[in-house]
Amino acid sequence: RFRTFVELVELAELEQELEDGGPFTLFVPSDEAFEELPQSDIAALKRDKKRLQEILRFHIVPEEVAFSTVGSRRALETLAGRPLEVSLDKGILVQDARVNRPPLRARNGTIHPIDGVLVPPPLPAEGATGTAVEG
């Protein structure tokens, strides 16, 4: 079910970080979720280890979040240093992906299967205030 995610974790050389650390909460896309992406996007990620690490770390929260409480929080800080938005809208949504199966216990955390690949939103430009100035 999660072969693509595991393959990408190995390619990004993150397996040791995940094995040695924790507890973690992982929001793991199914193989079907990766199949919905253009293959050119997957190939580009495989060539860009830094971007691949950023995207994978955006799926990982450096604390254990129980399934029963994951939706009670508005955002979860990820290993990518970026907040992951969580909402309750006909189930639990993480960004635009839905938690679609019961959680799986791992030795050092919890895995929540999701139906989409999470991509961190772009960082604001340095010095940007978030508002346009007209003049």
Side-chain angles (χ1 to χ4, degrees):
R1 273 195 313 208
F2 308 115
R3 278 185 258 181
T4 305
F5 189 83
V6 170
E7 173 191 342
L8 294 175
V9 165
E10 290 170 355
L11 187 62
E13 299 177 355
L14 294 176
E15 64 272 335
Q16 198 65 48
E17 182 177 341
L18 292 174
E19 287 176 16
D20 293 344
F24 296 112
T25 298
L26 281 76
F27 293 96
V28 179
S30 65
D31 290 335
E32 294 81 16
F34 280 104
E35 289 170 7
E36 291 180 20
L37 295 176
Q39 289 306 302
S40 59
D41 289 358
I42 298 292
L45 275 178
K46 288 180 176 181
R47 290 188 304 269
D48 186 348
K49 187 162 107 175
K50 184 177 177 182
R51 178 70 174 146
L52 177 59
Q53 288 174 340
E54 176 188 17
I55 287 177
L56 293 174
R57 285 183 171 127
F58 191 61
H59 289 78
I60 304 167
V61 176
E63 64 178 291
E64 193 162 359
V65 181
F67 187 72
S68 59
T69 62
V70 71
S72 66
R73 297 171 65 180
R74 294 173 95 35
L76 302 168
E77 193 65 29
T78 65
L79 284 182
R82 310 281 296 285
L84 190 60
E85 293 180 22
V86 179
S87 68
L88 294 173
D89 183 23
K90 297 181 184 176
I92 297 174
L93 282 178
V94 182
Q95 298 296 105
D96 293 327
R98 188 170 308 284
V99 175
N100 60 357
R101 296 196 176 147
L104 305 168
R105 285 286 305 141
R107 178 183 53 78
N108 61 348
T110 303
I111 298 168
H112 293 285
I114 57 176
D115 66 359
V117 178
L118 306 174
V119 178
L123 288 170
E126 191 173 321
T129 61
T131 59
V133 177
E134 294 182 34

